[in-house]
Amino acid sequence: MHKRLVNHCTIELSLIPDGPILIKSGKEGADPTKPDMEFVETYHQDGRTIYLPGSSLKGAIRAHAERIVRSIGSDSKPTNPNLLWANDPLNDNYDYLKDRKDKQKKLSPPEIHLHSSFTDRLFGNTSIASRLRIEDAYPTDRTQLKLEERNGVAIDRVFGSVAVGPFNYQVCTGGEFKTKIHLKNFTLAQLGLIGLVLRDLNDGWFGLGFTKSRGLGTVRVQYEQAIVQYPACVLNSENQISLLGHSNLSWNHTTLLGVGAFLEESERDRYGFPKDDRLDTPVSAEAMPLGFGVQLTWHGNTVTDLFERSVKAWKKVVMSGATS
């Protein structure tokens, strides 16, 4: 399925510290004037700066997405294919993705996708690629960053005395970090799940980085814009979204389309994509740059409208499993 590209969503957002946050560097630096635990740094736009690595953001988003799916579904592969489930990537041996007769042989790509968990279909596993990619989050203005140094100790749980420390660590308490989330060949339910995760991140239900249990890591999420693109479509003479090479596939110019809407029935069933994966929106489609492809754009706070509509598809998947 990754050999084709039928839809793509880019969500541009800013992460604003709502308290101290620390994405800790993996090793101590050689500078003795710096804290024991430093923020990760890199060079960006001709200067050295702290940043939020995309790998750290993706790990936190995946962990909370799995938490949501397990809360309403299962943590192991159910016998009912309609039930949602999220596996444990660290302890799963993925036996269900191997041929029953020959365990050394993997299933075909459509079968691997069909048997993978809902979260693996989105974030990937050792057999299928991820549909989601997150860019590193860099500060929009380095002069607005507020870095502080704090002190701490580790308490012995038996004696109540200091076990380790004191030590000091660096935190960021102000500034704004801009990043992009890319989602390709997605279903509307998968987009809805990402919307729920970002809602919970903004509400402080989970944090980013080091010592989240001690209050660090909370951020506010500020949407810049979201663009949903159909690179193989054009707007026809009737102002409809039309899939090139398939004259029988066209939709209203305000339609939000999941991957299943673009596929023939046989291919859609082989991968297990939902049928009629589409929703109406108040946003009108326009031509992509260079005049090829179609895109719908949500600006600023209207990005929540995109997620509200996608969550309807997510609820539909949840309810179909609950009633089956």
Side-chain angles (χ1 to χ4, degrees):
M1 188 63 226
H2 287 295
K3 294 178 180 178
R4 297 163 58 183
L5 181 58
V6 296
N7 64 1
H8 185 278
C9 179
T10 303
I11 305 164
E12 297 182 25
L13 53 92
S14 293
L15 300 173
I16 303 168
D18 199 24
I21 63 172
L22 169 59
I23 308 295
K24 193 162 65 72
S25 176
K27 55 184 179 181
E28 293 184 19
D31 188 348
T33 64
K34 288 197 170 184
D36 299 323
M37 301 178 189
E38 300 177 44
F39 217 107
V40 287
E41 293 184 354
T42 189
Y43 282 96
H44 179 65
Q45 294 182 345
D46 302 325
R48 194 166 181 82
T49 180
I50 64 170
Y51 75 110
L52 310 180
S55 56
S56 297
L57 299 176
K58 186 176 181 181
I61 288 174
R62 176 170 188 155
H64 192 69
E66 291 173 344
R67 195 174 297 122
I68 292 174
V69 173
R70 291 192 192 103
S71 299
I72 58 174
S74 168
D75 58 358
S76 58
K77 194 173 190 306
T79 55
N80 185 344
N82 292 324
L83 291 178
L84 289 177
W85 68 292
N87 64 337
D88 179 355
L90 298 179
N91 299 308
D92 195 343
N93 57 15
Y94 293 101
D95 269 347
Y96 49 86
L97 299 184
K98 298 174 183 174
D99 191 286
R100 290 185 179 181
K101 297 180 180 178
D102 182 1
K103 292 297 182 183
Q104 302 301 318
K105 183 180 177 183
K106 288 185 178 180
L107 299 175
S108 65
E111 289 175 316
I112 289 174
H113 184 272
L114 192 61
H115 290 285
S116 293
S117 68
F118 187 87
T119 48
D120 274 359
R121 292 181 185 182
L122 176 57
F123 295 99
N125 58 31
T126 55
S127 299
I128 55 175
S130 173
R131 299 178 186 280
L132 184 139
R133 180 171 64 87
I134 304 179
E135 297 182 11
D136 292 340
Y138 296 104
T140 54
D141 184 354
R142 287 201 296 269
T143 63
Q144 298 298 315
L145 291 176
K146 294 181 180 178
L147 297 177
E148 301 177 7
E149 184 176 317
R150 298 195 175 187
N151 301 306
V153 295
I155 302 298
D156 188 300
R157 294 182 180 179
V158 176
F159 300 104
S161 57
V162 175
V164 179
F167 53 83
N168 52 8
Y169 53 93
Q170 186 181 43
V171 296
C172 177
T173 58
E176 180 178 340
F177 298 85
K178 192 171 184 178
T179 185
K180 293 181 182 178
I181 297 176
H182 300 273
L183 196 59
K184 66 178 180 180
N185 290 340
F186 61 90
T187 68
L188 299 188
Q190 290 172 335
L191 182 59
L193 178 59
I194 295 301
L196 292 176
V197 172
L198 294 177
R199 179 203 64 180
D200 294 349
L201 177 62
N202 181 65
D203 290 345
W205 286 24
F206 70 101
L208 305 174
F210 185 61
T211 61
K212 296 183 283 293
S213 63
R214 283 186 275 169
L216 273 66
T218 55
V219 297
R220 287 186 289 115
V221 179
Q222 181 174 291
Y223 299 116
E224 306 296 332
Q225 67 175 9
I227 304 177
V228 175
Q229 297 170 309
Y230 314 131
C233 292
V234 294
L235 287 172
N236 61 25
S237 57
E238 299 175 351
N239 202 29
Q240 291 181 319
I241 299 172
S242 177
L243 180 62
L244 288 173
H246 299 266
S247 57
N248 59 330
L249 288 180
S250 60
W251 307 272
N252 187 285
H253 68 289
T254 59
T255 309
L256 179 63
L257 298 165
V259 59
F262 295 92
L263 306 180
E264 299 289 344
E265 183 176 0
S266 58
E267 186 176 16
R268 184 173 59 235
D269 291 344
R270 282 199 303 147
Y271 282 90
F273 289 121
K275 185 180 179 182
D276 295 329
D277 199 15
R278 57 184 178 179
L279 289 168
D280 289 329
T281 75
V283 177
S284 297
E286 58 184 1
M288 288 174 60
L290 304 184
F292 194 85
V294 173
Q295 66 182 24
L296 291 80
T297 305
W298 285 258
H299 297 283
N301 292 329
T302 64
V303 176
T304 56
D305 174 82
L306 171 64
F307 289 136
E308 286 173 358
R309 294 173 189 279
S310 302
V311 168
K312 292 179 182 177
W314 161 256
K315 287 173 66 177
K316 186 177 179 181
V317 172
V318 174
M319 296 304 293
S320 66
T323 56
S324 61

